[in-house]
Amino acid sequence: MKRLKQDSSDIKMLAEKVAGYLVNAQRITFLTGAGVSKESGIPTFRDAQTGMWANYNPEELATPQGFKRDPKLVWQWYDFRRKLLGDAKPNPGHEAIVELEKFVPKVTVVTQNIDGLHQKAGSTDVVELHGSIKRFFCFDDRHDADDVPFGLEDPPLCHCGSMIRPGVVWFGESLPDGAFSRGIKECESSDVVFVVGTSALVQPAASLPYSAHRRGAKIVEVNMEATPITDLADVFLQGPSGETLPLVVASLKALK
Ligand code: BJW
């Protein structure tokens, strides 16, 4: 039963159940969202609007129309968030995912995050569905652009004359070539799919657990609160991923 308001003994028991799924698993996939980076001090997408950004709707800023309408505003929003990322370090949630590579032959991370923290933690197979805040491309035809220093007031111009924009995927845009098909392939061939720290509201990423479930994968959700995925999940682990994922690893070590 997926009880909300789980206490520590519920979580321990559920972590052991998940470890049981992992003992003989050959392939597992993590679909991650902003919640997995929260304990690294990075605000989630929908919580990020504080201070001078509190009056802006992130779903309007994160669009090509928003950038066209007010390039300076959107540029400065990303500059602010890139600075916030600064020297952020991976947290125990990211690290637990890396540690599972010692026990399961194939561990893939399919992330909606643009912060690069899974790679920084050491995950060896990371698919970025929504690009990276540390890369840039040309607004007109999305070819790669050079790195851009912090603190520019306006988006700089590319050598082709177009504005340079952050290398992320905005609403209404397609995902990077091959990223979503890779995500489907990994989810559909996994024994267990973890859905960690995502509100599961944004498509097509949110469809991945359903594809995996149809192919018979166990679905394990890790979140502070219920989401549209919770009813689908075989196990819902309620709590911060930086605490619950290390418990899964500890339970698996006890079984191996
Ligand atoms: C913790 C925690 C802790 C906190 N531990 N947990 C139906 C089908 C297909 C598409 C659509 C559709 N309906 C609408 C669409 C279009 C649209 C869409 O999905 N819109 C929805 C709003 C409905 N999708 C798109 O446009 C996508 N492209 C597309 O579909 O292409 C085809 C197409 C082309 C042309 C026309 C139409 C279709 C592209 C989506 C790109 C999303 N980009 C963003 C911005 C990236 C750059 C940036 O960051 O600025 O990606 S939006 C934003 O949402 C960001 C995130 O990656 C993404 C998901 O957010 P996430 O990660 O779930 O974060 P939060 O904040 O929502 O949730 C955090 C969670 O963590 C919460 O649940 C907390 O409880 C939890 N949490 N602390 C564990 N410690």
Side-chain angles (χ1 to χ4, degrees), residues 33-36 38-39 44-47 59 62 77-78 81 112-114 130 168-175 197-204 222-225 227 239-241:
V36 78
K38 178 91 182 250
E39 291 150 271
T44 66
F45 185 73
R46 282 164 186 80
D47 287 348
E59 299 202 358
W77 184 51
Y78 280 95
R81 291 172 60 206
Q112 299 168 84
N113 297 345
I114 57 172
H130 295 162
V168 301
V169 181
W170 284 327
F171 287 113
E173 294 185 321
S174 50
L175 274 48
T198 175
S199 55
L201 296 174
V202 173
Q203 298 293 349
V222 177
N223 204 309
M224 309 295 291
E225 53 192 42
T227 75
S241 46

Side-chain angles (χ1 to χ4, degrees), residues 202-224:
V202 173
Q203 298 293 349
S207 68
L208 290 171
Y210 294 91
S211 306
H213 178 71
R214 278 194 295 275
R215 291 295 180 106
K218 293 285 187 200
I219 308 295
V220 177
E221 183 179 42
V222 177
N223 204 309
M224 309 295 291

Side-chain angles (χ1 to χ4, degrees), residues 12 20-21 34-35 37 50 52 56 58 77 83 92 102 118-119 124 137 139 141 169 189-190 194 207 212 226 249 256:
K12 187 166 179 291
Y21 295 161
S37 295
T50 53
M52 66 174 283
Y56 297 97
W77 184 51
K83 273 190 208 131
K102 292 185 195 145
H118 287 296
Q119 294 91 328
T124 53
F137 42 70
F139 183 68
D141 67 5
V169 181
S189 59
S190 283
F194 288 79
S207 68
V249 175
K256 284 270 184 179

Side-chain angles (χ1 to χ4, degrees), residues 3 5 39 41 45 51-52 60 65 70 84 103 114 124 128 131 146 153 182 190 193 218-219 225-226 239 255:
R3 273 180 42 208
K5 300 268 175 266
E39 291 150 271
F45 185 73
M52 66 174 283
E60 283 171 21
Q65 295 80 3
D70 196 341
L84 213 59
F103 301 99
I114 57 172
T124 53
E128 289 179 322
D146 291 339
E153 289 240 324
R182 215 21 250 298
S190 283
V193 170
K218 293 285 187 200
I219 308 295
E225 53 192 42
L255 287 181

Side-chain angles (χ1 to χ4, degrees), residues 22 25 47 53 57 61 67 74 78-79 90 96 129-131 133 142 162 174 181-183 235 248:
L22 296 177
D47 287 348
W53 299 104
N57 176 355
L61 295 176
F67 186 72
V74 174
Y78 280 95
D79 192 52
L129 294 178
H130 295 162
I133 200 168
R142 287 221 235 175
S162 156
S174 50
S181 52
R182 215 21 250 298
V235 173
V248 170

